[in-house]
Amino acid sequence: MDAAVPNHLADPPAIVRDAADLRPAGRGGTLLPRGYLGTRGSQIVDVAGRPVRIASIGWNGTEGPPGAAPSGIWKVSYRTVLDSIVAAGFNAVRIPWTDIGLDTPLHGYSDRLGWINTTLNPELLASDTSNARGRYRYVTTLVAFQRIVDYAGDIGLKVIFNHHTNQGTAGQQRNGLWFDLGPGTDNTDGIVPGRVTAAQFKQNWLRVAKVFAGNPTVIGYDLHNEPNGDRGHITWGGGGPTDIKAMCEDVGSAIQDVSPDVLIICEGPETYRPPPASSGMDPRHAAPAGNLTAAGANPVKLPIPNRLVYSIHEYPEEIADTKRWGIPETGKGFIDRMNHTWGYLVRDDIAPVWIGEMGASLRTPETREWARNLLDYMNGKYGAEGGPTFSGDQQPVSGSWWLIGPSNDPPFGLQTEWGVGHYRPDQIAITDQMLFRPRK
């Protein structure tokens, strides 16, 4: 059998695959092969060394305050949410966590923290089901993740966990860093007093890794969400507490000691203005999606090297606030920015890049143009402009749409309501273009 990327590519790659690999998802998508994944050059590959494309979607909720529930389970079961992800053609889900939320029981009875329909989600109730006030008692966030991973494995969906913030006080940690207490910080997360040191951040990652060690449903660990180089004085190399390259090497190596087969995912720091030369990053280029200008010449090095994936997040102006910095989100300037700040890693076969968050309301001409440009770039249509191209058995750039379900603000989500189906036509037309689709 041949496998091909979406049919709008000029030269779809052909791959000989065993029929057992071709497990369908919805909308013509295909689940990832069984087992863990690795890397070869700029490609993500399966255990047999065959290129694959991670087509994932984000599921929010657990990036919120301690005890916040996964979104949507006030109306449907967590199993239905996962079913809806597969039905939309995705092969993986990205799930966030916070340090002080891991051991907190889900609350399940708060507008702020999310309600839980206990009839539909009985597995999330603790064995001692009620507290002194007569309310239900729930499992902790980490135990809930185990329930979610168990069912994801049953339906062939892979899981990527993402450290989002230390305390769940904002979508992006306001101090720009992955810790909020100790050297390198002002001992706050940018909003509240700090509680998590760099050492505790590392230990919490090890706890997560130990829980899922040996379970190939969990294929990757996204070490930290949206490090911000403008706020956090982050460097790439050179040492010191805010050296993100050193953090990725230290934490990634420790995770590999526990779980050697998972992908270690390192995000570039977001720099809305060109960083100083002392940062170790290219001082000529702003990189609001994530600055990986130094990753080619000064890469993250891990004991097991073929497990490293870099990541950026790409959003249009309605979410990323790029226009006030004079940063283009469409046209030649947009393509040039991607080429310089991360695309060269794929184009020059240096390392894979997974776009860990991408999304837009698609309600305006500008956001629709942004989406078209980005998907065309990911799918190899801008080779003449210096972007990556793909041939033979190569797969295009992997990505993760933000987000499953409906939302009340941009990007509003893939669906109009929770459950299987209910897709927004403009959004599903875009996500269809990022699916990994073998063909007969």
Side-chain angles (χ1 to χ4, degrees):
M1 292 184 177
D2 294 332
V5 295
N7 58 16
H8 62 285
L9 286 176
D11 298 302
I15 308 169
V16 177
R17 293 185 180 274
D18 187 279
D21 288 335
L22 300 182
R23 298 178 296 160
R27 303 187 64 82
T30 301
L31 298 174
L32 288 166
R34 295 172 176 83
Y36 289 101
L37 303 179
T39 68
R40 186 181 69 234
S42 63
Q43 293 289 296
I44 299 171
V45 298
D46 65 13
V47 293
R50 300 168 296 194
V52 300
R53 189 183 199 184
I54 297 174
S56 52
I57 193 165
W59 183 13
N60 68 329
T62 47
E63 82 284 6
S71 291
I73 61 173
W74 62 273
K75 184 174 183 180
V76 299
S77 74
Y78 70 89
R79 295 170 184 248
T80 298
V81 176
L82 297 174
D83 287 338
S84 73
I85 290 171
V86 172
F90 296 99
N91 55 35
V93 57
R94 177 179 180 261
I95 300 176
W97 61 274
T98 69
D99 293 275
I100 64 172
L102 275 180
D103 295 320
T104 304
L106 301 179
H107 281 258
Y109 48 83
S110 162
D111 288 336
R112 179 168 175 259
L113 298 175
W115 293 82
I116 297 175
N117 185 318
T118 55
T119 300
L120 298 177
N121 295 279
E123 300 93 340
L124 301 184
L125 286 172
S127 54
D128 176 11
T129 58
S130 64
N131 62 21
R133 291 183 291 178
R135 287 175 168 169
Y136 285 116
R137 291 175 61 88
Y138 297 91
V139 299
T140 65
T141 302
L142 188 54
V143 172
F145 286 166
Q146 293 174 64
R147 306 283 192 268
I148 288 168
V149 167
D150 286 346
Y151 185 67
D154 289 344
I155 62 174
L157 185 70
K158 301 293 189 178
V159 176
I160 296 172
F161 283 110
N162 153 249
H163 177 271
H164 220 72
T165 63
N166 297 135
Q167 301 190 53
T169 52
Q172 181 188 91
Q173 186 143 308
R174 295 289 179 85
N175 73 356
L177 301 169
W178 49 93
F179 59 103
D180 61 14
L181 184 65
T185 77
D186 63 356
N187 293 324
T188 77
D189 74 348
I191 298 178
V192 298
R195 295 176 59 180
V196 180
T197 65
Q200 290 169 321
F201 160 78
K202 177 181 175 180
Q203 288 304 310
N204 283 334
W205 257 127
L206 290 178
R207 290 185 58 220
V208 173
K210 289 174 182 176
V211 166
F212 298 107
N215 186 341
T217 296
V218 180
I219 56 169
Y221 293 136
D222 185 354
L223 294 185
H224 181 62
N225 179 72
E226 297 180 0
N228 190 300
D230 295 328
R231 293 173 177 165
H233 309 292
I234 294 172
T235 65
W236 189 281
T242 64
D243 178 352
I244 194 168
K245 174 179 177 284
M247 181 277 282
C248 290
E249 291 175 341
D250 178 44
V251 176
S253 297
I255 290 173
Q256 287 189 329
D257 285 341
V258 172
S259 186
D261 296 314
V262 295
L263 297 175
I264 304 297
I265 301 169
C266 301
E267 296 190 28
E270 297 181 352
T271 55
Y272 277 73
R273 51 194 164 205
S278 60
S279 70
M281 295 173 277
D282 192 329
R284 297 172 296 174
H285 302 291
N291 198 319
L292 293 170
T293 57
N298 189 15
V300 170
K301 295 180 180 178
L302 298 172
I304 305 171
N306 61 334
R307 294 293 188 273
L308 173 67
V309 174
Y310 292 110
S311 183
I312 55 97
H313 291 182
E314 182 58 62
Y315 287 109
E317 162 66 17
E318 68 177 3
I319 298 167
D321 193 24
T322 50
K323 282 186 179 177
R324 77 183 183 96
W325 296 94
I327 296 169
E329 61 180 41
T330 58
K332 184 178 184 302
F334 183 46
I335 295 166
D336 287 346
R337 170 166 68 81
M338 290 191 285
N339 287 341
H340 291 307
T341 58
W342 66 268
Y344 76 97
L345 292 166
V346 181
R347 180 195 64 207
D348 298 342
D349 199 34
I350 295 171
V353 177
W354 168 67
I355 302 180
E357 286 185 25
M358 50 189 282
S361 70
L362 304 180
R363 296 182 178 185
T364 66
E366 291 81 8
T367 57
R368 291 191 291 271
E369 178 69 4
W370 166 85
R372 184 189 68 79
N373 283 171
L374 178 60
L375 267 294
D376 282 352
Y377 189 88
M378 293 170 67
N379 288 332
K381 288 193 171 184
Y382 286 120
E385 290 81 7
T389 58
F390 308 96
S391 61
D393 67 350
Q394 294 180 324
Q395 289 288 322
V397 175
S398 294
S400 192
W401 195 251
W402 185 262
L403 72 175
I404 192 65
S407 176
N408 294 325
D409 51 23
F412 295 112
L414 184 71
Q415 299 172 285
T416 57
E417 61 180 283
W418 291 102
V420 175
H422 314 299
Y423 305 123
R424 300 183 196 273
D426 48 3
Q427 294 217 0
I428 200 73
I430 293 298
T431 60
D432 278 351
Q433 298 178 52
M434 53 185 285
L435 304 183
F436 168 53
R437 294 180 173 183
R439 68 176 182 184
K440 295 182 180 180

